[in-house]
Amino acid sequence: MSVAIREHRPGAIPRAFFELPFEVYRGDRAWVPPLFKEVRDRLTPGVNPWFEHGEAVVLTAWEGTRCVGRCTAQVDREHLRTHDDGAGFFGFLDTVDRADVVDALLRAAAAWLARRGMRRMRGPFSLCINEECGMLVEGFDTPPVLMMPHHRPYQGALVERVGLTRCKDLFAWKYVVGDIPPRAQRAWEQVRAMPEVRLRSVRKARLREELRTVMDIFVDAWADNWGFVPPTEAEVQKMGAQLGLLIDEDLAFFAEVHGRPVAMCIALPNLNEAIADLAGRLFPFGLFKLLWRLKVRTPRSARLMLLGIRKELRGVKRYGGLSTALYVEIARRGAAKGYEWGELSWTLEDNHPVNLGIRAMGGRLYKRYRIYETPLDGSSPFVLGGASAAPEGA
């Protein structure tokens, strides 16, 4: 039986799209079902501010009455404004273990992007680089942490089999709380002894103001990174609302020099520990379980999401140990709160200074995520005879 592809508008997505992962990951003990509401909100215009600068289509693959695959295709005008590279994206790719399903979905996504003038397709990004990124290709035996994806081993292999090639790998590092390397400890002590330097916690009572400082450092420190797209004001506000529920003041702090924030370290408790058995549902009882767990029990793990220093301080000899001091500070704070380990993610495979710094702290590379790409200009056999999709109900 042939595979049929259906198109759906964001915000009008069939239930099968959200239920398919339960079939794909059945029996996978490492998978953490995402909350239905969170996924639906990310794919709903008017709820996710990404749609103010992006356009997307939702695709499902069917064999008769059975849904066997899903993905999205999207154009991000902020990415195009920043990079001018003609790249469109795919994301939310999940399928049963069949190459013909992956091929049909990605051909339909490529055709949709090509009709909008895109010259290449890259992904998975769900929906953008500031959300979930990459296809898991190493580290399948442990659960993902907060806001990181999980996949079956066959999924990346099928993407490569149908013709997409590796574009960039992203690393996730595991740090187990323990003895701090002496050299790192000395760097922390030296920074702490500088009279003009202060490490201060983010203040939840002034979270909106603090978030602007986080974004200011983020844009400055990450501007030259591969694929970086600065978040819009609306996206920052949305992020603030989400962080307000999760942020632990002891795990988020700035480094100030003469009273001016010049660096930041932001880690979040690993919410995935608390939702793993909720089957994606907050209602009717999941919400109460989640709130109770977060109130009475500190998660064993956290995710270090952001650690960055303004460009003006890079190469300044006096502050050469600042990044190491931030790693030591977050390790000490986490240990004091009872955290047992943390994930540092993600880092670019070719960001050698950051990766070396994590290794020097005792971090271990334990997961690898891959971004794939294909040209859409006819130079790749993948796009020849690209698939078409029928609107829902056709």
Side-chain angles (χ1 to χ4, degrees):
M1 185 178 294
S2 62
V3 177
I5 303 297
R6 300 179 189 172
E7 282 190 7
H8 316 276
R9 290 182 296 103
I13 304 171
R15 188 175 184 84
F17 178 93
F18 302 98
E19 294 179 340
L20 175 70
F22 287 86
E23 177 178 353
V24 172
Y25 298 104
R26 183 178 294 120
D28 185 344
R29 294 184 178 181
W31 182 57
V32 177
L35 297 174
F36 283 154
K37 183 180 186 305
E38 193 272 334
V39 178
R40 190 179 294 278
D41 285 353
R42 283 164 60 195
L43 289 168
T44 301
V47 177
N48 184 351
W50 178 87
F51 284 97
E52 295 175 8
H53 57 85
E55 177 188 7
V57 67
V58 175
L59 303 168
T60 52
W62 298 81
E63 191 174 61
T65 59
R66 178 192 175 208
C67 182
V68 292
R70 69 175 194 176
C71 80
T72 62
Q74 58 265 12
V75 173
D76 187 338
R77 292 186 294 276
E78 281 296 302
H79 172 91
L80 295 173
R81 182 186 64 80
T82 303
H83 297 283
D84 191 25
D85 59 358
F89 305 98
F90 70 92
F92 289 95
L93 179 64
D94 278 309
T95 74
V96 297
D97 188 3
R98 283 176 42 187
D100 60 331
V101 176
V102 174
D103 187 70
L105 280 167
L106 291 181
R107 285 180 183 273
W112 187 89
L113 292 170
R115 291 195 297 270
R116 283 153 181 79
M118 299 299 101
R119 302 190 302 273
R120 65 187 66 178
M121 179 172 72
R122 187 181 298 155
F125 294 101
S126 302
L127 289 163
C128 66
I129 199 167
N130 293 324
E131 297 183 356
E132 287 187 3
C133 304
M135 176 77 68
L136 183 67
V137 294
E138 292 179 16
F140 301 99
D141 57 338
T142 53
V145 301
L146 173 73
M147 296 173 65
M148 292 294 285
H150 180 73
H151 296 97
R152 292 280 201 178
Y154 69 77
Q155 290 177 282
L158 289 180
V159 171
E160 295 180 19
R161 180 176 169 185
V162 303
L164 275 69
T165 57
R166 186 180 81 88
C167 173
K168 186 77 69 174
D169 279 3
L170 314 176
F171 291 168
W173 304 82
K174 185 171 185 177
Y175 172 78
V176 178
V177 172
D179 294 335
I180 293 172
R183 186 174 179 179
Q185 179 69 20
R186 287 195 298 272
W188 177 80
E189 291 170 354
Q190 290 167 1
V191 169
R192 295 281 293 185
M194 293 178 182
E196 77 276 22
V197 176
R198 179 171 73 125
L199 303 179
R200 72 155 179 90
S201 297
V202 167
R203 297 164 291 200
K204 287 185 72 172
R206 302 174 62 180
L207 188 57
R208 179 171 294 186
E209 177 184 336
E210 300 282 62
L211 189 60
R212 291 187 184 279
T213 303
V214 169
M215 288 299 107
D216 186 47
I217 298 173
F218 177 58
V219 171
D220 181 80
W222 271 261
D224 297 330
N225 281 11
W226 176 87
F228 173 75
V229 177
T232 65
E233 177 64 24
E235 288 171 317
V236 170
Q237 294 305 318
K238 176 73 171 178
M239 190 183 309
Q242 295 170 331
L243 288 179
L245 300 174
L246 287 178
I247 200 163
D248 181 335
E249 290 178 323
D250 293 320
L251 298 184
F253 57 91
F254 297 111
E256 296 179 338
V257 174
H258 297 298
R260 177 174 177 254
V262 296
M264 66 173 174
C265 182
I266 307 294
L268 294 177
N270 181 18
L271 182 65
N272 279 9
E273 286 187 27
I275 68 170
D277 63 345
L278 299 184
R281 294 176 171 83
L282 280 178
F283 303 101
F285 305 114
L287 178 60
F288 300 107
K289 290 182 180 179
L290 176 59
L291 293 175
W292 180 81
R293 290 169 182 175
L294 293 177
K295 182 177 181 179
V296 305
R297 186 176 68 205
T298 299
R300 296 183 305 110
S301 60
R303 179 186 172 200
L304 177 55
M305 300 179 64
L306 299 173
L307 188 149
I309 301 172
R310 291 187 189 274
K311 283 186 267 188
E312 67 197 58
L313 264 71
R314 299 176 192 172
V316 178
K317 186 176 181 180
R318 178 170 175 79
Y319 303 113
L322 183 55
S323 61
T324 300
L326 296 179
Y327 284 125
V328 174
E329 180 76 9
I330 190 63
R332 292 171 63 94
R333 288 180 177 221
K337 294 280 290 189
Y339 287 90
E340 298 175 10
W341 65 275
E343 179 175 296
L344 296 81
S345 62
W346 45 263
T347 68
L348 292 165
E349 62 176 333
D350 49 6
N351 193 338
H352 303 301
V354 168
N355 293 333
L356 286 172
I358 294 173
R359 284 190 189 276
M361 273 295 297
R364 175 176 62 87
L365 177 61
Y366 86 123
K367 289 181 185 286
R368 184 188 299 258
Y369 296 86
R370 183 157 294 164
I371 305 296
Y372 294 98
E373 189 174 61
T374 185
L376 300 178
D377 58 4
S379 63
S380 168
F382 169 75
V383 297
L384 296 181
S388 60
E392 185 177 18

